[in-house]
Amino acid sequence: MTKKTQKIAIVTGGANGIGAAISRSLRSDNVHVMIADKDVDKGQTFADSIGASFFQIDLSDAKACQALVDATTDQFGGIDILVNNAGFQHVCPLLDFPEDTWNAMIDVMLNAPFRLTKYVWPHMQKKQWGRIINMASIHSQVASLNKSAYITAKHGLIGLTKTAALEGGPDGITVNAISPAYVRSALVEGQIADQARTNNISEEEVMDKILFKNSAIKRLIEPQEVADLVLMLCSENAQSMTGSNLTLDGGWTSQ
Ligand code: NAD
């Protein structure tokens, strides 16, 4: 039996939430992981705890994106897996949406994935093997009120995913997106508590009547469920899967 070569991954936004679950799962699969995040306190401690490396970065900085790729190849000698996961939400009606916030969201959730894809590409081409996974959202397929920048960035990310998939095919590079509905995270749990207070209803009612109004499965998705899908996409079994936008939405978009 041939020994599996140890792969090398960059996970953006790996200090918290979904990115942390992905980083832990990749480490458990014996992958070298470079966690790239602006949150140095959580990021460094978490990276140390799972035997990963940490690179502090503001992903809206183009030069820092190149520095991240250079630091990863210097330390590990290549890059096989890129998980573009970092992101954030700002809820505000379109007419009042601050332009600097709009630009920051597009930078982190669309421009950074484009730049990192471009910078890791030659390293993947060299090995004729690569896996790029873009963390989209169910908001890459449907819109909700007052989330214009997030929804624009996530719809754009699917365009990038599909085009990169076409260009990567001949070189063994697959590019896919994952689109979850609400995943258990500090942000979402905070939103549920806020909605319960604002509407004077229980948190269970917020989930049933607001969050999961359109879902067949009415519960939060666990970050580990998303991480498991990332591992599957990184496996050899997924070699023919590219350009896909995989939903984990409890049936939200089935109707
Ligand atoms: P989170 O807030 O727990 O983690 C996001 C991470 O991104 C944080 O560690 C943060 O420090 C990092 N980050 C943000 N801006 C950055 C920047 N400028 N530079 C570097 N790092 C930065 O969020 P999460 O819920 O784990 O979300 C991860 C991804 O999953 C996001 O792209 C989000 O849009 C997507 N998503 C989340 C949900 C959900 O319900 N939580 C649903 C669908 C999609």
Side-chain angles (χ1 to χ4, degrees), residues 35 39 82 85 94 106 110-111 117 134 138 140 153 161 163 171 183 187 232 243 255:
I35 292 177
D39 183 346
L82 167 66
N85 165 77
L94 185 57
I106 300 296
L110 189 52
N111 292 337
T117 298
N134 293 324
I138 207 57
S140 71
T161 302
T163 313
D171 289 317
V183 180
L187 185 90
M232 189 278 284
Q255 51 184 309

Side-chain angles (χ1 to χ4, degrees), residues 4 7 15 19 48 66 71 126 138 159 161 163 215:
K4 203 171 136 191
K7 301 274 192 234
D48 291 346
Q66 181 67 67
K126 206 160 123 194
I138 207 57
T161 302
T163 313
S215 303

Side-chain angles (χ1 to χ4, degrees), residues 115-164:
R115 288 179 181 129
L116 290 174
T117 298
K118 197 170 157 179
Y119 303 153
V120 301
W121 203 260
H123 300 287
M124 294 180 173
Q125 256 178 336
K126 206 160 123 194
K127 292 191 182 178
Q128 290 289 291
W129 198 97
R131 296 283 190 269
I132 299 176
I133 293 142
N134 293 324
M135 199 53 59
S137 158
I138 207 57
H139 282 123
S140 71
Q141 298 191 5
V142 295
S144 296
L145 287 172
N146 303 330
K147 296 181 176 174
S148 54
Y150 187 87
I151 287 161
T152 303
K154 297 299 189 185
H155 273 69
L157 191 56
I158 301 306
L160 174 65
T161 302
K162 289 181 180 171
T163 313

Side-chain angles (χ1 to χ4, degrees), residues 12-20 36-39 57-60 84-89 104 108-109 135-139 150 154 157 178-188 220:
T12 71
N16 294 288
I18 296 170
D37 204 296
K38 65 176 185 180
D39 183 346
I57 188 169
D58 178 350
L59 286 158
S60 54
N84 284 309
N85 165 77
F88 62 99
Q89 181 62 279
V108 172
M109 292 187 282
M135 199 53 59
S137 158
I138 207 57
H139 282 123
Y150 187 87
K154 297 299 189 185
L157 191 56
I178 297 180
S179 283
Y182 292 101
V183 180
R184 189 182 303 283
S185 64
L187 185 90
V188 169
L220 289 173

Side-chain angles (χ1 to χ4, degrees), residues 22-242:
I22 293 169
S23 301
R24 190 184 290 107
S25 287
L26 287 169
R27 282 299 300 134
S28 303
D29 204 34
N30 199 31
V31 174
H32 287 302
V33 175
M34 177 68 89
I35 292 177
D37 204 296
K38 65 176 185 180
D39 183 346
V40 66
D41 294 334
K42 286 227 188 114
Q44 187 66 65
T45 311
F46 176 63
D48 291 346
S49 75
I50 61 166
S53 296
F54 179 72
F55 189 92
Q56 187 184 13
I57 188 169
D58 178 350
L59 286 158
S60 54
D61 177 349
K63 284 200 181 119
C65 289
Q66 181 67 67
L68 164 64
V69 171
D70 292 346
T72 308
T73 53
D74 285 352
Q75 184 173 346
F76 298 117
I79 299 178
D80 305 289
I81 298 164
L82 167 66
V83 185
N84 284 309
N85 165 77
F88 62 99
Q89 181 62 279
H90 183 76
V91 180
C92 179
L94 185 57
L95 289 183
D96 298 325
F97 211 96
E99 279 198 30
D100 54 348
T101 307
W102 173 281
N103 289 335
M105 293 177 79
I106 300 296
D107 265 342
V108 172
M109 292 187 282
L110 189 52
N111 292 337
F114 156 67
R115 288 179 181 129
L116 290 174
T117 298
K118 197 170 157 179
Y119 303 153
V120 301
W121 203 260
H123 300 287
M124 294 180 173
Q125 256 178 336
K126 206 160 123 194
K127 292 191 182 178
Q128 290 289 291
W129 198 97
R131 296 283 190 269
I132 299 176
I133 293 142
N134 293 324
M135 199 53 59
S137 158
I138 207 57
H139 282 123
S140 71
Q141 298 191 5
V142 295
S144 296
L145 287 172
N146 303 330
K147 296 181 176 174
S148 54
Y150 187 87
I151 287 161
T152 303
K154 297 299 189 185
H155 273 69
L157 191 56
I158 301 306
L160 174 65
T161 302
K162 289 181 180 171
T163 313
L166 294 185
E167 296 185 22
D171 289 317
I173 304 170
T174 70
V175 189
N176 292 285
I178 297 180
S179 283
Y182 292 101
V183 180
R184 189 182 303 283
S185 64
L187 185 90
V188 169
E189 287 179 321
Q191 279 180 9
I192 294 170
D194 284 348
Q195 293 262 16
R197 255 192 316 276
T198 314
N199 297 301
N200 199 23
I201 55 177
S202 69
E203 294 192 5
E204 287 67 35
E205 282 176 296
V206 172
M207 292 206 251
D208 196 45
K209 294 187 177 147
I210 302 176
L211 258 55
F212 304 125
K213 188 168 51 115
N214 298 318
S215 303
I217 301 171
K218 295 180 187 292
R219 63 164 179 82
L220 289 173
I221 297 157
E222 298 301 330
Q224 189 58 45
E225 295 178 68
V226 185
D228 289 344
L229 200 44
V230 171
L231 277 199
M232 189 278 284
L233 286 171
C234 290
S235 72
E236 293 307 324
N237 292 341
Q239 62 184 328
S240 303
M241 186 178 277
T242 197

